[in-house]
């Protein structure tokens, strides 16, 4: 994800990794039992991840990834075994594929400022890419299609914020939030990949902080969004083997922010995920693999379905 300018953000300083025990203990998602289950499933963990901001909270461990890179595998809506328990019929999920492949050609439009409650911010940004030119926008839309297929297979109603059905840029961050709000989504997720320095690895989930300013009021969604985020982080770790960020979140895989319009303006439970760092060769090899992207979609599905099913109880 690129938050600054038309190109890529500057590299961020690395933070020290936490040891396996620290990361495992951080995975006490809603409670000790779930954390123990995640730790046992993965066998411990190390740090790893992507993005910029202050850290908080929790998931854990890591596992070996066996998929081999395959940059040409872009299967839209690819199939995969749905692992969630119970039907998702009646549930609404909004998927927000970060950025848009056409943003590079529409600098004036995406640089237009919009109100995000706390301040004005650019409508959107270009996103990042791997060193070989595989773009974040292409990655996010592919994972969104795969995730959508898994959710629909379990009966969920799915809406994407964009899917080739609009002009070749955007939508703006305020509109992305509004789409989830208007759909009365039970859960919303914005999919991204980071553009940090080489050597910075891993995923992190961005949670909304408490904001009450202007058009933004996240106070009612902070709690459920934290629950959604911790479940997504635990499942993503387990299903993909990608470690939590080694440069943000202090090994927890969770980061809280109050400067993102897509979260500030949301009135439904919502999180962002940075699935890995496109500028690191090891992460790039995963992000460009269709097989790994299917694992990423499965991890997102498992976390979201776990959250949705928990809401029924």
């Amino acid at each position: 994800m690129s938050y600054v300018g038309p190109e890529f953000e500057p590299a961020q300083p690395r933070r020290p990794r936490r040891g396996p025990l620290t990361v495992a203990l951080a995975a006490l998602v809603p409670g000790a039992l779930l954390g123990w289950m995640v730790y046992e499933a993965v066998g411990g963990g190390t740090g790893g991840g992507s993005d910029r901001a202050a850290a908080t909270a929790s998931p854990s461990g890591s596992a070996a990834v066996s998929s081999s890179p395959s940059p040409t595998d872009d299967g839209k809506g690819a199939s995969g075994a749905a692992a969630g328990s119970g039907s998702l019929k009646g549930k609404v999920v909004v998927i927000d594929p970060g950025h848009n492949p056409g943003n590079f050609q529409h600098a004036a439009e995406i640089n237009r400022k919009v109100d995000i409650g706390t301040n004005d911010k650019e409508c959107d940004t270009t996103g990042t890419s791997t060193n070989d030119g595989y773009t974040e926008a292409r990655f996010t839309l592919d994972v969104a299609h795969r995730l959508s297929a898994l959710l629909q297979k379990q009966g969920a109603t799915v809406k994407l914020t964009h899917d080739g059905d609009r002009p070749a840029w955007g939508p703006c961050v305020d509109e992305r939030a509004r789409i989830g709000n208007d759909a009365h989504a039970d859960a919303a997720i914005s999919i991204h990949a980071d553009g940090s320095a080489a050597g910075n690895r891993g995923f992190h989930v961005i949670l909304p902080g408490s904001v009450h300013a202007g058009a933004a009021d996240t106070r009612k969604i902070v709690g459920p969004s934290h629950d959604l985020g911790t479940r997504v982080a635990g499942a993503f770790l387990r299903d993909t083997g990608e470690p939590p960020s080694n440069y943000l979140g202090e090994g927890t895989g969770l980061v809280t922010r109050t400067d993102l319009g897509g979260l500030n303006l949301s009135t439904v439970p919502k999180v962002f995920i940075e699935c890995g760092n496109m500028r690191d060769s090891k992460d790039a090899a995963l992000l460009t693999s269709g097989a790994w992207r299917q694992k990423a979609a499965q991890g997102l599905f498992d976390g979201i379905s776990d959250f949705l099913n928990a809401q029924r109880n």
Side-chain angles (χ1 to χ4, degrees):
M1 175 190 288
S2 175
Y3 298 109
V4 179
E7 293 300 329
F8 309 122
E9 292 194 281
Q12 300 298 308
R14 295 183 62 175
R15 298 187 181 186
R17 295 186 181 218
R18 295 294 181 93
L21 180 59
T22 303
V23 176
L25 291 174
L28 303 174
V29 180
L33 177 59
L34 182 56
W36 178 83
M37 291 172 65
V38 173
Y39 179 77
E40 286 296 303
V42 217
T46 56
S50 61
D51 205 303
R52 354 230 169 293
T56 43
S58 54
S60 75
S62 93
V65 179
S66 59
S67 60
S68 57
S70 176
T72 58
D73 184 353
D74 256 344
K76 292 187 177 181
S79 62
S85 60
S87 171
L88 298 180
K89 185 176 181 180
K91 295 297 186 179
V92 178
V93 179
V94 169
I95 305 172
D96 178 27
H99 312 290
N100 185 307
N103 279 359
F104 286 98
Q105 284 76 45
H106 294 273
E109 289 89 347
I110 67 170
N111 285 328
R112 177 174 63 85
K113 297 294 182 68
V114 297
D115 179 13
I116 66 166
T118 53
N119 60 287
D120 291 340
K121 202 165 186 179
E122 290 79 7
C123 156
D124 199 7
T125 58
T126 58
T128 188
S129 72
T130 67
N131 293 331
D132 291 333
Y134 181 72
T135 65
E136 180 184 1
R138 183 178 168 191
F139 167 82
T140 63
L141 195 56
D142 179 64
V143 174
H145 286 141
R146 296 171 187 268
L147 174 57
S148 177
L150 294 172
L151 288 164
Q152 288 176 329
K153 186 175 180 180
Q154 289 298 300
T157 298
V158 179
K159 183 173 182 63
L160 272 64
T161 58
H162 70 95
D163 190 16
D165 55 354
R166 59 174 292 112
W169 58 274
C172 295
V173 294
D174 57 339
E175 184 181 352
R176 290 173 187 263
R178 189 161 56 249
I179 290 170
N181 299 343
D182 291 346
H184 303 289
D186 295 289
I189 188 164
S190 189
I191 302 171
H192 290 269
D194 207 1
S196 189
N200 289 347
R201 285 205 61 202
F203 78 90
H204 67 271
V205 176
I206 305 174
L207 312 173
S210 183
V211 173
H212 184 210
D217 187 354
T218 63
R219 291 173 295 179
K220 290 183 179 180
I221 68 161
V222 167
S225 296
H226 184 276
D227 186 24
L228 171 62
T230 54
R231 293 175 189 270
V232 165
F236 193 82
L237 168 65
R238 182 185 67 240
D239 290 350
T240 67
E242 177 76 345
S245 172
N246 66 4
Y247 61 105
L248 284 173
E250 298 183 342
T252 68
L254 298 180
V255 169
T256 297
R257 294 182 61 163
T258 58
D259 65 325
L260 299 179
L263 295 180
N264 284 3
L265 300 175
S266 182
T267 59
V268 300
K270 184 175 182 179
V271 297
F272 280 41
I273 184 168
E274 298 280 1
C275 296
N277 177 20
M278 298 196 106
R279 311 299 276 182
D280 176 79
S281 60
K282 291 181 180 178
D283 272 3
L286 300 178
L287 297 166
T288 54
S289 162
W292 188 86
R293 291 195 298 274
Q294 188 62 36
K295 292 181 181 181
Q298 187 70 51
L300 300 179
F301 166 79
D302 287 344
I304 292 169
S305 61
D306 186 35
F307 170 77
L308 295 176
N309 283 315
Q311 302 310 298
R312 299 183 190 276
N313 301 328

